[in-house]
Amino acid sequence: MGTNKELLGKGIKYLSGALPLLFIGPSVIYNAFMNQQNIWHYLVLAVGITACITAVILMFKGLQFIMKSLFND
C-alpha cells in the first residue's frame, strides 16, 4: 500500500495556501473591530470573515487530499 505522491503534493499545496489565511483573517477582523468609527468597517469585517472561512475550507480540502493519498480511497 503505497502513497500517491501527486495527491499528497496537492494536499500540501492546499494546506500551504491556508496557512497565511489563518493569520491574516483574524488580524483583519481585529482591525475591523478596532476601527469601528471608520466608514469601511463592514467591508473590512467581511473580508476578514471571508479569509477565515476560506482558510477552513482549504484546510478541509487539503486534509481530505492527504487522507486520500495515504489510504488510497
Side-chain angles (χ1 to χ4, degrees), residues 50-72:
T50 304
C52 288
I53 291 172
T54 305
V56 171
I57 291 170
L58 286 176
M59 285 188 337
F60 176 76
K61 294 298 282 183
L63 289 175
Q64 189 177 28
F65 280 124
I66 289 174
M67 289 297 122
K68 282 183 183 178
S69 74
L70 292 176
F71 298 116
N72 293 327

Side-chain angles (χ1 to χ4, degrees), residues 26-46:
S27 299
V28 172
I29 291 173
Y30 176 77
N31 189 3
F33 281 122
M34 289 296 110
N35 295 320
Q36 288 184 356
Q37 70 277 7
N38 195 345
I39 193 169
W40 298 100
H41 164 70
Y42 292 112
L43 179 64
V44 173
L45 184 62

Side-chain angles (χ1 to χ4, degrees), residues 6-18 62-63 65-66:
E6 293 175 11
L7 278 178
L8 183 65
K10 192 173 184 181
I12 291 173
K13 285 181 185 177
Y14 273 92
L15 289 178
S16 65
L63 289 175
F65 280 124
I66 289 174

